[in-house]
Amino acid sequence: MKAYKDYTTEELKELETVLKIRYKEFQSRGLQLNMARGKPCSEQLDLSMGMMDVLSGDDDLLCEDGTDCRNYGVLDGIKEAKILIGDMMEVAPDNVIIYGNSSLNVMYDTISRSMTHGVMGSTPWCKLDKVRFLCPVPGYDRHFAITQYFGIEMINIPMSPEGPDMDLVEKLVSEDDSIKGIWCVPKYSNPQGYSYSDLTVRRFARLKPAAKDFRIYWDNAYSIHHLYDNDQDHLLEILAECKRAGNPDLVYKFASTSKISFPGSGIAAIATSHNNLEDIRKQLTIQTIGHDKVNQLRHVRYFGDIHGMVEHMRKHADILRPKFELVEQILEDELAGLEIGTWTKPRGGYFISFDALDGCAKAIVARCKNAGVMMTGAGATYPYGNDPHDSNIRIAPSYPPLADLETACRLFVLCVKLESVKKLLAEREA
Amino acid sequence: MKAYKDYTTEELKELETVLKIRYKEFQSRGLQLNMARGKPCSEQLDLSMGMMDVLSGDDDLLCEDGTDCRNYGVLDGIKEAKILIGDMMEVAPDNVIIYGNSSLNVMYDTISRSMTHGVMGSTPWCKLDKVRFLCPVPGYDRHFAITQYFGIEMINIPMSPEGPDMDLVEKLVSEDDSIKGIWCVPKYSNPQGYSYSDLTVRRFARLKPAAKDFRIYWDNAYSIHHLYDNDQDHLLEILAECKRAGNPDLVYKFASTSKISFPGSGIAAIATSHNNLEDIRKQLTIQTIGHDKVNQLRHVRYFGDIHGMVEHMRKHADILRPKFELVEQILEDELAGLEIGTWTKPRGGYFISFDALDGCAKAIVARCKNAGVMMTGAGATYPYGNDPHDSNIRIAPSYPPLADLETACRLFVLCVKLESVKKLLAEREA
């Protein structure tokens, strides 16, 4: 394929005419498709329906240690759940606190607690003039929304396939004690699907932050969310690395079963050092009478152990893989060689990241919307919704059925072509 | 019965000797009983076991409007749950947000949000020099723990069988703009079992707070938790009263099904004005992807409607009533006329409040503990754990089986007698 930039102006204009006709055809179809969020599809949810039957009215709802899951008590999670989720998070059960259904809620509460009570005795952040967070970009919009909500200033850190730019991270963190954290999705990152290299993880564990209350916010949301059986990313376990590096308290690790069991009713958890856990428990004992132990028991009885969970994830992969491959195939077929966009080819997670020509992302997403296909808002992958290049678009292939996904992708590449042509023509006119 | 104060010193000394022997007998029995918390007993939990079977793997988990409860979405609760909990809270469904399993968590989050973001645009409380809360006493220790945790100064407000001292509440609230809230358990109050009179509720609704961000924290934890079918307390609905009084935004109302379905895995809710809900949703959308909708659906399918829930509460009452009556009978049999204590006779809720002679509560609870019976810590019913008279003790009859409850109560009255005798003797020696 010839790159668009090598087209003559005449050729570009002809192409624009053809693309506009095709776009109008799409518009006339009254599509209503959604590729905006990393939402599992119905077939994936059906995989976990057995969970509705593992606890029956005829059973007891007792833990192995005799705890009645129906009653009050057990602030930080039943032992069985700590073992299961500990295995999932690759940490010891006693490094884990089990929460309710949303790891986002755990992260929010972690920031909120730091605002009002500081971290392990530090000055509450609300008493400080300035609090800053590092944000590898592109990244997860809901992370950025939390820090923005609390008035925390966000600093962009460029991502590479190895992870965040660690030279920059090390420099900023060691120089500036107003920097209190960094948001990380270290495996199958949102939206690029990158997994941090061993060197990156080791450099994280060896950070020397100016702020004692600096923590790495390690949202390992896709730890076992592989697309392939034999072609998986591996991530160094950060708690162990931090301990080894003499920085045991440096990291909060977050996870949930939202994309393993049910998005609305999984269980979430934090894993961190005993010092951090003690700090967290001081708050937790004030905040709640404990999280839903019946649902913890339900997860334990359903999955049995980590092997059951891994087996279960294979079924998710079987549903998701064709969707990712379809998107990649269409991008490849339609865009390869045109030099109007690049995209990632993740081996897991929920997203494909697409980079359009600078200044085209907003227009592409708007154009998709005007033909009935919702994409993640352009800019959403950057703090303050501000993508300085206006180029990144997050593609979420999980939710639509394959046929709809194909339609949505065909429209998407059409919009990419059309906006790219318009940009090139505008440049030549200028 | 002759009052202890009318005993001669000689008689008191003889009595002390007898009581000490009886106490030693109790100690020798190696008891391990717990009347510390308002914890439902196993028989009560068994009442809700049918809830484990209302959702099956063969069903769909769809709301009437087609929402799939298994997936992401629906920030503030499924419609069916809002109707059910709205009926329970005596408010319209659209005044309700459904949360996770703990109303305490909702209250904590409400205070925490006010600390970091204020209330409907007011200055965040963490930016103020002083924030105060009014605390009707005796009251609920976990309320006081939340305000203490956030460094909020607590001011005691005496309770009467009509509710808090409203003359004092009105005066303080109208004069002092650092007073931002008052903790209320308005029906079958914790620990006294008092229900606020109509006049008290009307005066609450007509408060004229100096602080615009003052709110009434109305924890209606025991709204349908009656002990008797035909002898129930009735509480005016405060949202409607506030609206009528031209103060629609004055109150946050909290409730949960913790003592209706399961303490560990019920559903909690806030009910308040649309202005307040809008303020709350701004935070909620940052904090979480939404609460457990499957558990909401489970509750709706199990109870059907408010009538099913009320019927269910009759079964709880049938289990709890004999326990309350046993405690009251023992107190009456053993203490009436001795003038060494008074106690409440609630028609609902989870507690009986006992007032010993001044300066005796700590000693009585310690003595119970030394013979193997855990009571709620003396002082716990007051802010900072400081009962200025050291006289109030909360009795929680729900958890122990009847036989154990009788033993625990017999020990309790013995300890009350013994410490009262010691006090009277000490006074005479002084």
Side-chain angles (χ1 to χ4, degrees), chain B residues 16 19-20 23-24 26-27 360-373 375 411-412 414-420 422:
Chain B
E16 188 184 24
L19 294 171
K20 277 189 174 167
Y23 181 71
K24 290 227 158 141
F26 266 103
Q27 276 190 310
C360 289
K362 279 208 172 81
I364 292 168
V365 170
R367 202 171 264 286
C368 286
K369 189 179 171 189
N370 285 335
V373 172
M375 310 285 298
L411 173 66
F412 173 71
L414 174 64
C415 294
V416 170
K417 288 175 181 175
L418 189 45
E419 290 304 325
S420 304
K422 284 180 71 175

Side-chain angles (χ1 to χ4, degrees), chain A residues 40 46 52-53 55 57 70-72 101 105 108 117 126-127 142 149 259 263-265 283 285 287 290 292 294, chain B residues 40 46 53 55 57 70-72 101 105 108 117 126-127 142 149 259 263-265 283 285 287 290 292 294:
Chain A
D46 290 344
M52 292 297 101
D53 297 317
L55 301 183
R70 305 171 302 177
N71 219 329
Y72 290 119
N101 70 320
N105 204 150
Y108 176 99
H117 289 80
C126 70
K127 303 290 185 197
R142 284 183 171 281
Y149 179 73
K259 292 184 176 90
S265 43
Q283 176 222 352
T285 190
Q287 185 182 26
D292 184 342
V294 172
Chain B
D46 290 344
D53 297 318
L55 300 184
R70 304 171 301 177
N71 219 328
Y72 291 119
N101 71 321
N105 204 151
Y108 175 99
H117 289 79
C126 70
K127 302 290 185 197
R142 283 183 171 279
Y149 179 73
K259 292 186 177 89
S265 44
Q283 177 222 351
T285 191
Q287 185 182 26
D292 185 343
V294 172

Side-chain angles (χ1 to χ4, degrees), chain A residues 38-40 42 45-46 49 52-53 55-59 61 68-72 101-102 104-105 108-109 112-113 115-117 126-127 142 145-146 149-150 258-259 262-265 282-283 285-295 298 399, chain B residues 38-40 42 45-46 49 52-53 55-59 61 68-72 101-102 104-105 108-109 112-113 115-117 126-127 142 145-146 149-150 258-259 262-265 282-283 285-295 298 399:
Chain A
K39 212 172 151 176
S42 298
L45 303 178
D46 290 344
M49 284 305 282
M52 292 297 101
D53 297 317
L55 301 183
S56 136
D58 301 328
D59 300 336
L61 302 183
D68 190 334
C69 288
R70 305 171 302 177
N71 219 329
Y72 290 119
N101 70 320
S102 161
L104 189 78
N105 204 150
Y108 176 99
D109 283 5
S112 185
R113 180 182 61 247
M115 292 300 294
T116 56
H117 289 80
C126 70
K127 303 290 185 197
R142 284 183 171 281
I146 292 174
Y149 179 73
F150 284 103
S258 289
K259 292 184 176 90
F262 294 133
S265 43
K282 276 184 204 157
Q283 176 222 352
T285 190
I286 305 292
Q287 185 182 26
T288 179
I289 48 84
H291 297 102
D292 184 342
K293 297 186 296 296
V294 172
N295 203 33
R298 185 178 289 119
Y399 190 69
Chain B
K39 210 172 153 177
S42 297
L45 303 178
D46 290 344
M49 283 305 281
M52 291 296 102
D53 297 318
L55 300 184
S56 137
D58 302 327
D59 301 337
L61 302 183
D68 191 332
C69 288
R70 304 171 301 177
N71 219 328
Y72 291 119
N101 71 321
S102 161
L104 189 78
N105 204 151
Y108 175 99
D109 282 4
S112 184
R113 181 182 59 248
M115 291 300 293
T116 55
H117 289 79
C126 70
K127 302 290 185 197
R142 283 183 171 279
I146 291 175
Y149 179 73
F150 284 102
S258 289
K259 292 186 177 89
F262 293 133
S265 44
K282 276 183 205 156
Q283 177 222 351
T285 191
I286 305 292
Q287 185 182 26
T288 178
I289 48 83
H291 297 102
D292 185 343
K293 295 185 296 299
V294 172
N295 203 32
R298 184 177 288 118
Y399 191 69

